[in-house]
Amino acid sequence: MATTVRRTVLTLPAGPLGPENPLPALRPLDETHVVDERDRAALPRDMARQIGFQPLSTVLPARILDGYGRERTPTALDAIVIENDRLRATVLPGLGGRVHSLHHKPTGRELLYRNPVLQPADFALNGAWFSGGIEWNIGATGHTALSCAPLHAARVPAPDGGEMVRLWEWERLRDLPFQVDLWLPEDSEFLHVGVRIRNPHEHTAPVYWWSNIAVPEGERTRVLAPADEAWHFGYERTLTRVPVPVSGSVDRTYPLRGEFPADYFYEVPDGARRWIASLDEDGHGLVQTSTDLLRGRKLFLWGSGAGGRRWQEWLTEPGTVGYAEIQAGLARTQLEHVPLEPGAEFSWLESYGPLSADPLTVHGEDWAAARAETEQRLAEVLPRADVEAAHEAWRPFADTEPGESLATGSGWGALEVRRGKYELPGTPFADSTLGEQQQPWLELLDQGTFPEPRRAVPPGPSMVSPHWRDMLETAPAEPLTEYHLGVAQWHAGDRAQAVRSWERGLVLAPSRWPLLRCLAVAAEEGRQRDRAADLYGEAFDDLCAERRDEDEAWTAAAAALGREALEALLTAGRPAAARSVWAALPPAIRQRGRFRLLEARLLIAEDDRAAARAVFDEGFEVEDLREGAQILDEVWAGITDEPLPDRYNFRMRPER
C-alpha cells in the first residue's frame, strides 16, 4: 500500500490534566540532573563548558501543570496515523507530538513501550508528563515543558512524492521555533524523522534536544550502542565515567540488572555511526539511528529495586510490562546545552524501525561482537549512506508550506512572530491562533499599554524575554503591569528591582494577593522566613476574600497559594497559623494527596504523631510527587523509626 496519513481518535484511560497553576514559577528549577560546579573540573573541557552554558534558573514563562489527578476515565485523544504496508505510527499532536505507537505489521510486534494508560506525573520541567512512546524533548535539561501541550500539525509533501506529517511549535523556555517532520516512505520499514531548530534572534541561544524512546524491558532485554565507556549519572548528582557493559560487577546494558534508577550516556567515538538498539532474548527489537549531528546516546533504567518498581506502577498500572528508555541527543549528556548562533539552525534526520540480530551473539559475553553483530544487521537493513541521503532529500522540503491542518498548537508563536516580524518558511504561526492568553500582550505590543482586568481574576501568564520586559518598563505603571514587570525582572536576575515593582503595584492594586505572593517568594529566597510567613498569610487571606470556589481558575489559585502558605508557615514554626490556612481551604482540596501529606506535617508540628501516623495508615497518593523527591521518607521519619511502607517507597538512590 502507498503511505497514508489520516486522523483518528484514540481512547485511553487517562488522568485529568486539570488547570494550569496560576502562580508564576519564580522558584529555582527543581531538576534532579545537576552536577555540582566543583565536580566539573574533572570532566572534559567541552562537556564542562556546555554544562555551564546558560542553564535555566526558572521555567518562566511556562506555567506549572500540577492540577492533574489519578482517577482515570476513558478519554478520547486526537491522533494522527502514518501508515504503509510495513509500519503504522500513531502520533498524539495534542500531547507534545508524542509517537504513542510504532507497530511492525509483518510480525505484529509493537516496537515501542505503548503505555495502556495516560497518567500525568511530575517529571516534566513544568510538571505534568507521561511515560511511553517517543517524545521530543526540547528546551533544557529534563522533560520538555511541552510534554502535555498541543503542537501544530499539518500534511506536507514528502521527498518521495507522498505525504509526511509536520509538527511545529514555539518553545518558550528558550524562545525558539522548531519542527519535527515524520516521513514513512512507501514500502519502508523505517520511520524517518527530520528535525529542525532555528534561532531567529540576534543573540546565541542555548539548545537542548533529546529524543526519548520508551522500550519494553525484560530479564533478557539488552540495550546496545557503539561505545566501550559511558558517563553514569545516579541520583546522587554525580557524573562519572564507567566501562561498558560491566560496571561494579554488573552488566548495566540489561536494564533490570541494576538496583536503582540511573542514566548511562554512551561515549560514542568520533566518526562512529550513531545508533542505539533494544533487543529482546530472541534478538528482536527496535533500533534508532541518525545523521551525525545527533551525537549523544543514552540508556535510562528504573532498575529492579523497590523504588524503581514502584515508579513503574505509578506511571502505568500494576501488572503491565515495565519499560526502559533509549535516547538520542545533541550533546554527550543531558546536562549540556549547545550554542546555536544568531540566524543559524540545527537540522538532522533520525530513523526508527525493527531490527533482528543473532541472539547468541547479542547476548554473549563478548561485548565487541554483540555490538558488531547489531551494527552489521543495521547496515544490512538501513545503510548509513541511506540515512544521509534521506536527510539531504528532506532538507529542501523543510521549508515547504504546510497543507491541510491536522491540529492546532498555541498562540505564543504567532505573538512572537508578530513582534519580531520573523520569516520562518515551513512553520507558519498564524494570527488566527492568537487566543485569550495572548490578547493582553498583543495590546501591549500594538498600543503600549497592558490592560487591567474588568473583574477580579487570577492574573494570566507572564512574558519574560528582554523585549517584553522593555515594553513593560515603558508602559503606564498600573498594578497589573507592575506585577508582570516584576516577574520579568525576577527572571532576568534583577531581584531588587522586581521587589520594588511589586511593592509599587501593591499601592493601588484592587487584588493584592498575586503581588503579596511574589513578595513572599522573594522573602523566602532571601531566607527571611518570618517575613515570608507574614506575607503568605496576608496573601492567602486576601485571596479567600475574593475567590469563587465554583470557578476552576480560583480553585487552582486557592490550592496553589494554600499549599505554599502552609509550607512557609510550617517552615517558620507557626503551626497555629498553618492550621488556620488549612481550615480555610475548600474540603475537596484538603482531600488531595499533596494536602494529606501536608496535614501529616502539620500534625507532627502540633506534636500529634499518632494522628500523623493515622494519615499514612489511611493511605494517600501524592499526585504530583516529584521525580527524585525524598519528602515521603522525610515526613515518615518524623513519625516513626519503622521502615517506610512499600506503597510510599519511591527511592531513586541508596539510603545514606
Side-chain angles (χ1 to χ4, degrees), residues 172 410-416 418 430-454 459-463 468 471-472 480 484:
R172 300 182 67 211
S410 78
W412 296 113
L415 183 66
E416 291 297 342
R418 186 155 170 174
D431 281 354
S432 60
T433 62
L434 292 164
E436 182 181 354
Q437 289 190 333
Q438 291 82 43
Q439 285 306 316
W441 298 98
L442 194 60
E443 185 170 328
L444 176 65
L445 177 63
D446 292 343
Q447 301 179 27
T449 60
F450 197 92
E452 289 290 309
R454 293 185 177 87
S462 296
M463 300 289 279
W468 292 108
M471 280 185 268
L472 288 166
L480 189 55
H484 286 297

Side-chain angles (χ1 to χ4, degrees), residues 7-39:
R7 282 185 286 190
T8 189
V9 174
L10 179 68
T11 300
L12 289 177
L17 272 176
E20 294 179 328
N21 184 326
L23 308 183
L26 302 175
R27 287 188 172 81
L29 191 66
D30 182 17
E31 170 53 41
T32 58
H33 293 81
V34 176
V35 173
D36 191 286
E37 190 169 349
R38 292 169 296 181
D39 294 333

